[in-house]
Amino acid sequence: MPFVRVANVADEAPGTGALIERDGVSLAVFNAGGGRFCAVSPVCPHEDGPLAEGWLEAGTVVCPWHGFNFDLTTGVCPVDPAMALTVYPVRVNGSAIEVEVP
């Protein structure tokens, strides 16, 4: 799977997320701070909440609709492990945030 440029590092403030669409794939991309970026599927599996509008808390993204949180490394919801997000590999290449998409 190829890595695709999805944003510039300077465009994503620490602690924030953005909805990105590239090559037919929608992603929620987050700046976790310290030069770390994460990319997950953008829709909460609980009731389709917009995860890119959520906030980061202790290594998780919290859905703004009902507060379900998802680990940014594994995608698993600690409250209900049957709910999980797809996690995409991310790398920083110079000033670009790149995500490996299927």
mmCIF file of all heavy atoms in Angstrom, residues 34-55:
data_model
loop_
_atom_site.group_PDB
_atom_site.id
_atom_site.type_symbol
_atom_site.label_atom_id
_atom_site.label_comp_id
_atom_site.label_asym_id
_atom_site.label_seq_id
_atom_site.Cartn_x
_atom_site.Cartn_y
_atom_site.Cartn_z
ATOM 1 N N GLY A 34 4.238 16.625 19.850
ATOM 2 C CA GLY A 34 5.585 16.068 19.850
ATOM 3 C C GLY A 34 6.001 15.474 18.518
ATOM 4 O O GLY A 34 6.803 14.558 18.476
ATOM 5 N N GLY A 35 5.416 15.963 17.423
ATOM 6 C CA GLY A 35 5.747 15.451 16.099
ATOM 7 C C GLY A 35 5.048 14.157 15.740
ATOM 8 O O GLY A 35 5.356 13.541 14.727
ATOM 9 N N ARG A 36 4.096 13.725 16.573
ATOM 10 C CA ARG A 36 3.359 12.480 16.328
ATOM 11 C C ARG A 36 1.999 12.783 15.694
ATOM 12 O O ARG A 36 1.267 13.646 16.160
ATOM 13 C CB ARG A 36 3.140 11.708 17.628
ATOM 14 C CG ARG A 36 4.428 11.210 18.247
ATOM 15 C CD ARG A 36 4.197 10.512 19.589
ATOM 16 N NE ARG A 36 3.575 11.467 20.521
ATOM 17 C CZ ARG A 36 2.398 11.256 21.113
ATOM 18 N NH1 ARG A 36 1.719 10.165 20.908
ATOM 19 N NH2 ARG A 36 1.898 12.158 21.941
ATOM 20 N N PHE A 37 1.694 12.051 14.644
ATOM 21 C CA PHE A 37 0.414 12.178 13.956
ATOM 22 C C PHE A 37 -0.230 10.799 13.888
ATOM 23 O O PHE A 37 0.457 9.780 13.827
ATOM 24 C CB PHE A 37 0.606 12.745 12.554
ATOM 25 C CG PHE A 37 1.083 14.166 12.579
ATOM 26 C CD1 PHE A 37 2.431 14.467 12.689
ATOM 27 C CD2 PHE A 37 0.179 15.213 12.510
ATOM 28 C CE1 PHE A 37 2.874 15.774 12.734
ATOM 29 C CE2 PHE A 37 0.611 16.523 12.551
ATOM 30 C CZ PHE A 37 1.959 16.814 12.660
ATOM 31 N N CYS A 38 -1.564 10.783 13.901
ATOM 32 C CA CYS A 38 -2.323 9.539 13.861
ATOM 33 C C CYS A 38 -3.418 9.675 12.818
ATOM 34 O O CYS A 38 -3.945 10.768 12.602
ATOM 35 C CB CYS A 38 -2.970 9.261 15.213
ATOM 36 S SG CYS A 38 -1.802 9.238 16.585
ATOM 37 N N ALA A 39 -3.793 8.563 12.211
ATOM 38 C CA ALA A 39 -4.895 8.554 11.246
ATOM 39 C C ALA A 39 -5.765 7.339 11.519
ATOM 40 O O ALA A 39 -5.264 6.225 11.675
ATOM 41 C CB ALA A 39 -4.362 8.518 9.823
ATOM 42 N N VAL A 40 -7.073 7.588 11.601
ATOM 43 C CA VAL A 40 -8.039 6.527 11.861
ATOM 44 C C VAL A 40 -9.250 6.720 10.948
ATOM 45 O O VAL A 40 -9.425 7.771 10.336
ATOM 46 C CB VAL A 40 -8.505 6.517 13.341
ATOM 47 C CG1 VAL A 40 -7.342 6.219 14.281
ATOM 48 C CG2 VAL A 40 -9.187 7.822 13.724
ATOM 49 N N SER A 41 -10.102 5.703 10.908
ATOM 50 C CA SER A 41 -11.355 5.854 10.178
ATOM 51 C C SER A 41 -12.140 7.002 10.833
ATOM 52 O O SER A 41 -12.085 7.185 12.042
ATOM 53 C CB SER A 41 -12.139 4.548 10.167
ATOM 54 O OG SER A 41 -12.202 3.964 11.442
ATOM 55 N N PRO A 42 -12.869 7.791 10.034
ATOM 56 C CA PRO A 42 -13.425 9.045 10.532
ATOM 57 C C PRO A 42 -14.795 8.974 11.195
ATOM 58 O O PRO A 42 -15.294 9.986 11.668
ATOM 59 C CB PRO A 42 -13.500 9.902 9.267
ATOM 60 C CG PRO A 42 -13.800 8.912 8.205
ATOM 61 C CD PRO A 42 -13.009 7.681 8.583
ATOM 62 N N VAL A 43 -15.416 7.797 11.227
ATOM 63 C CA VAL A 43 -16.781 7.688 11.726
ATOM 64 C C VAL A 43 -16.815 6.786 12.958
ATOM 65 O O VAL A 43 -16.306 5.663 12.936
ATOM 66 C CB VAL A 43 -17.714 7.123 10.627
ATOM 67 C CG1 VAL A 43 -19.121 6.955 11.148
ATOM 68 C CG2 VAL A 43 -17.700 8.031 9.406
ATOM 69 N N CYS A 44 -17.433 7.280 14.012
ATOM 70 C CA CYS A 44 -17.566 6.499 15.240
ATOM 71 C C CYS A 44 -18.490 5.310 14.988
ATOM 72 O O CYS A 44 -19.604 5.483 14.478
ATOM 73 C CB CYS A 44 -18.142 7.374 16.352
ATOM 74 S SG CYS A 44 -18.369 6.493 17.909
ATOM 75 N N PRO A 45 -18.064 4.103 15.354
ATOM 76 C CA PRO A 45 -18.904 2.927 15.129
ATOM 77 C C PRO A 45 -20.119 2.857 16.058
ATOM 78 O O PRO A 45 -21.002 2.039 15.848
ATOM 79 C CB PRO A 45 -17.962 1.747 15.359
ATOM 80 C CG PRO A 45 -16.867 2.272 16.190
ATOM 81 C CD PRO A 45 -16.746 3.734 15.869
ATOM 82 N N HIS A 46 -20.176 3.721 17.061
ATOM 83 C CA HIS A 46 -21.331 3.715 17.963
ATOM 84 C C HIS A 46 -22.578 4.231 17.254
ATOM 85 O O HIS A 46 -23.550 3.514 17.110
ATOM 86 C CB HIS A 46 -21.034 4.538 19.220
ATOM 87 C CG HIS A 46 -22.214 4.744 20.108
ATOM 88 N ND1 HIS A 46 -22.724 5.993 20.384
ATOM 89 C CD2 HIS A 46 -23.001 3.858 20.764
ATOM 90 C CE1 HIS A 46 -23.771 5.865 21.175
ATOM 91 N NE2 HIS A 46 -23.958 4.575 21.428
ATOM 92 N N GLU A 47 -22.549 5.486 16.784
ATOM 93 C CA GLU A 47 -23.697 6.058 16.075
ATOM 94 C C GLU A 47 -23.247 7.031 14.996
ATOM 95 O O GLU A 47 -23.875 8.073 14.778
ATOM 96 C CB GLU A 47 -24.671 6.713 17.039
ATOM 97 C CG GLU A 47 -25.447 5.695 17.853
ATOM 98 C CD GLU A 47 -26.631 6.278 18.598
ATOM 99 O OE1 GLU A 47 -26.957 7.467 18.425
ATOM 100 O OE2 GLU A 47 -27.238 5.521 19.367
ATOM 101 N N ASP A 48 -22.141 6.726 14.336
ATOM 102 C CA ASP A 48 -21.656 7.478 13.169
ATOM 103 C C ASP A 48 -21.239 8.912 13.465
ATOM 104 O O ASP A 48 -21.338 9.786 12.593
ATOM 105 C CB ASP A 48 -22.680 7.453 12.032
ATOM 106 C CG ASP A 48 -22.983 6.043 11.567
ATOM 107 O OD1 ASP A 48 -22.086 5.183 11.660
ATOM 108 O OD2 ASP A 48 -24.119 5.794 11.115
ATOM 109 N N GLY A 49 -20.766 9.174 14.675
ATOM 110 C CA GLY A 49 -20.288 10.520 15.019
ATOM 111 C C GLY A 49 -19.034 10.884 14.239
ATOM 112 O O GLY A 49 -18.259 10.020 13.824
ATOM 113 N N PRO A 50 -18.795 12.193 14.046
ATOM 114 C CA PRO A 50 -17.648 12.684 13.276
ATOM 115 C C PRO A 50 -16.380 12.755 14.125
ATOM 116 O O PRO A 50 -16.143 13.731 14.829
ATOM 117 C CB PRO A 50 -18.107 14.079 12.838
ATOM 118 C CG PRO A 50 -18.998 14.527 13.962
ATOM 119 C CD PRO A 50 -19.678 13.273 14.463
ATOM 120 N N LEU A 51 -15.553 11.736 14.059
ATOM 121 C CA LEU A 51 -14.381 11.663 14.942
ATOM 122 C C LEU A 51 -13.372 12.782 14.722
ATOM 123 O O LEU A 51 -12.686 13.178 15.657
ATOM 124 C CB LEU A 51 -13.710 10.303 14.806
ATOM 125 C CG LEU A 51 -14.504 9.153 15.419
ATOM 126 C CD1 LEU A 51 -13.816 7.834 15.149
ATOM 127 C CD2 LEU A 51 -14.714 9.359 16.911
ATOM 128 N N ALA A 52 -13.272 13.319 13.519
ATOM 129 C CA ALA A 52 -12.319 14.405 13.273
ATOM 130 C C ALA A 52 -12.667 15.644 14.096
ATOM 131 O O ALA A 52 -11.811 16.489 14.339
ATOM 132 C CB ALA A 52 -12.268 14.753 11.789
ATOM 133 N N GLU A 53 -13.916 15.739 14.551
ATOM 134 C CA GLU A 53 -14.349 16.848 15.400
ATOM 135 C C GLU A 53 -14.169 16.534 16.880
ATOM 136 O O GLU A 53 -14.466 17.372 17.737
ATOM 137 C CB GLU A 53 -15.819 17.183 15.115
ATOM 138 C CG GLU A 53 -16.051 17.675 13.706
ATOM 139 C CD GLU A 53 -17.522 17.881 13.390
ATOM 140 O OE1 GLU A 53 -18.349 17.970 14.334
ATOM 141 O OE2 GLU A 53 -17.848 17.954 12.191
ATOM 142 N N GLY A 54 -13.684 15.335 17.177
ATOM 143 C CA GLY A 54 -13.464 14.926 18.556
ATOM 144 C C GLY A 54 -12.199 15.551 19.125
ATOM 145 O O GLY A 54 -11.522 16.337 18.475
ATOM 146 N N TRP A 55 -11.871 15.170 20.345
ATOM 147 C CA TRP A 55 -10.670 15.685 20.990
ATOM 148 C C TRP A 55 -9.799 14.531 21.450
ATOM 149 O O TRP A 55 -10.249 13.412 21.584
ATOM 150 C CB TRP A 55 -11.023 16.604 22.153
ATOM 151 C CG TRP A 55 -11.801 15.959 23.248
ATOM 152 C CD1 TRP A 55 -11.310 15.353 24.369
ATOM 153 C CD2 TRP A 55 -13.221 15.829 23.331
ATOM 154 N NE1 TRP A 55 -12.329 14.857 25.137
ATOM 155 C CE2 TRP A 55 -13.520 15.147 24.532
ATOM 156 C CE3 TRP A 55 -14.276 16.225 22.512
ATOM 157 C CZ2 TRP A 55 -14.817 14.855 24.919
ATOM 158 C CZ3 TRP A 55 -15.572 15.924 22.910
ATOM 159 C CH2 TRP A 55 -15.824 15.260 24.098
#
